[in-house]
Amino acid sequence: MMADANSTRTRTARLIVAVLTLGIAIGIAAGLLSQMLYGVEYLAFGYTESSSLPGPFTVPALRRIAGVVGGSLIAAIIWWLLRTKSARVPSVKKAVNGEPMPVWQTTVHVLLQILIVGSGSSIGREVAPREFGAMLGQRFSGVIGFTGADKRMLVAVCAGAGLAGVYDAPLAGLFFTVEILLADVTLEKVAVSLGMSATAAYVASLIKGQKVFYHLPGLLHENTPTLMLFALVGGVVFGALGALFRLGSQWAEKGPRNDAGILWKMPAAALLTGVVAIWIPQVMGNGRASAQLSFDISLISNLAKGQGLSLFGTSAGQPLVVALVVLTVSLIAKALVTLITIRSGASGGVLQPGIALGAIAGAMLGLLWMLVFPGASIPIAACALVGAAALLSASQQAPLMAMCLVMELCAAPISYFVPVGLASSAAVVVSRWVLKRCNAAFSRSERKTKQAVA
């Protein structure tokens, strides 16, 4: 009994040391990665993103093209060498299940992700801090003697802390760990994950500052029946769109990543991004620009007035038409360019692109709702918030993580968990139905193809 008690105390002490030590280390890394992103943006385009200027709208078109192609070309060459000449960097899920993450290869791999996002490629940056955190977790587990289930838990917790640190989102880090990586909830796992995520988020904020990622003007602090009805109806739409984005992401990730094709495919995808950005600059980067335009549609008319924006015959004098056109074009362009970027061999995430697509879809549906029901007043920012959380819940099949990440990024009033939760639950149900039928259709098609070949 005494030996068991001593063993328990020793393990608890090691967990406390791990939470504090790794939380601080991952927070420092997340803060520095964020600063690197802003530095790359400034070098490539001469600006640093913010909620008031979330994208390279004032950057000359040729510089947009040169920046995104240049960054992608550098990353493509190094990734090709990394993937063909050295030890492979596994995914976070594989690392959690025991596959080792080589130190310098993982570090280079992480830095390249920040490089391409900062230089304008349409892909998320959130995988980078998660991978770096998982690598630190593996190494520290060996130092303190963790093996088996304890090591698996620590690696997953570290990955979640990386997400928490880069976005100042400790609840999202917690639920990413227990809902996606471990798919298991115990009091110990929750305590360890939340403690490390909170530590990482605080330490990172000391380096990069504590700022609201998305600005949502005009939000009410109470929920209305109209907003709740919008959330329920919208959840169906966002669920279907989220399922389609998930299928598209899975297709894109199946592209060849270890052959020499990456040397021309990634620059070609970047060139396409730059050309599209001549007219739709918000497609560049991880999705912050597209999402912020949806959360605050007044930015669209302001940019139209400032730059003489004219899309498909619209003008700054027609704000509602301009907003609908810009949002529609942004939705299609952002989805396609993101999937093409991933398919070309680039590594990165789809959380921020998913948030962007959901926010765009939410704002579009909100504007259409106002046209159909003129007397029903809903803040467009609230519609975009509901759409972002619901589509991300559907595309990730992780509603707790998705809701918390969006709410924390937006610093939304806690009362909005009610419509966001309703929309996310509806979206998950609809997306599972869509995914089940799409996968069944794909299976039937594959069987027919094999039978025809035979």
Side-chain angles (χ1 to χ4, degrees), residues 247-273:
L247 291 171
S249 301
Q250 290 172 344
W251 166 81
E253 290 170 354
K254 291 179 181 178
R257 316 186 81 76
N258 298 326
D259 62 6
I262 192 176
L263 296 173
W264 68 266
K265 290 178 182 177
M266 272 189 61
L271 178 61
L272 174 64
T273 302

Side-chain angles (χ1 to χ4, degrees), residues 358-380:
I360 296 169
M364 288 174 60
L365 188 60
L367 290 172
L368 293 173
W369 191 282
M370 290 171 59
L371 288 174
V372 177
F373 306 106
S377 178
I378 313 176
I380 297 301

Side-chain angles (χ1 to χ4, degrees), residues 23 152 174 270 391:
R152 183 174 184 272
L174 160 65
L391 191 146

Side-chain angles (χ1 to χ4, degrees), residues 103-116:
V103 176
W104 73 263
Q105 290 94 333
T106 300
T107 302
V108 172
H109 176 66
V110 164
L111 296 178
L112 290 176
Q113 293 176 58
I114 301 300
L115 170 64
I116 63 171

Side-chain angles (χ1 to χ4, degrees), residues 242-403:
L244 294 177
F245 185 58
R246 182 178 180 86
L247 291 171
S249 301
Q250 290 172 344
W251 166 81
E253 290 170 354
K254 291 179 181 178
R257 316 186 81 76
N258 298 326
D259 62 6
I262 192 176
L263 296 173
W264 68 266
K265 290 178 182 177
M266 272 189 61
L271 178 61
L272 174 64
T273 302
V275 171
V276 171
I278 294 174
W279 300 279
I280 317 169
Q282 60 267 28
V283 302
M284 301 187 78
N286 63 358
R288 184 177 187 180
S290 296
Q292 188 58 64
L293 289 183
S294 307
F295 289 128
D296 184 4
I297 60 171
S298 66
L299 285 174
I300 296 176
S301 57
N302 292 339
L303 289 167
K305 293 174 183 176
Q307 299 183 37
L309 178 66
S310 179
L311 291 173
F312 305 105
T314 64
S315 67
Q318 302 168 295
L320 182 58
V321 176
V322 169
L324 279 172
V325 170
V326 170
L327 291 172
T328 301
V329 173
S330 297
L331 180 70
I332 298 170
K334 185 64 180 176
L336 292 178
V337 170
T338 299
L339 297 181
I340 291 171
T341 299
I342 297 172
R343 184 74 177 186
S344 72
S347 293
V350 292
L351 294 187
Q352 280 294 348
I355 290 173
L357 295 177
I360 296 169
M364 288 174 60
L365 188 60
L367 290 172
L368 293 173
W369 191 282
M370 290 171 59
L371 288 174
V372 177
F373 306 106
S377 178
I378 313 176
I380 297 301
C383 299
L385 175 70
V386 168
L391 191 146
L392 188 65
S393 295
S395 65
Q396 293 295 308
Q397 296 291 285
L400 296 176
M401 182 279 297
M403 288 191 300

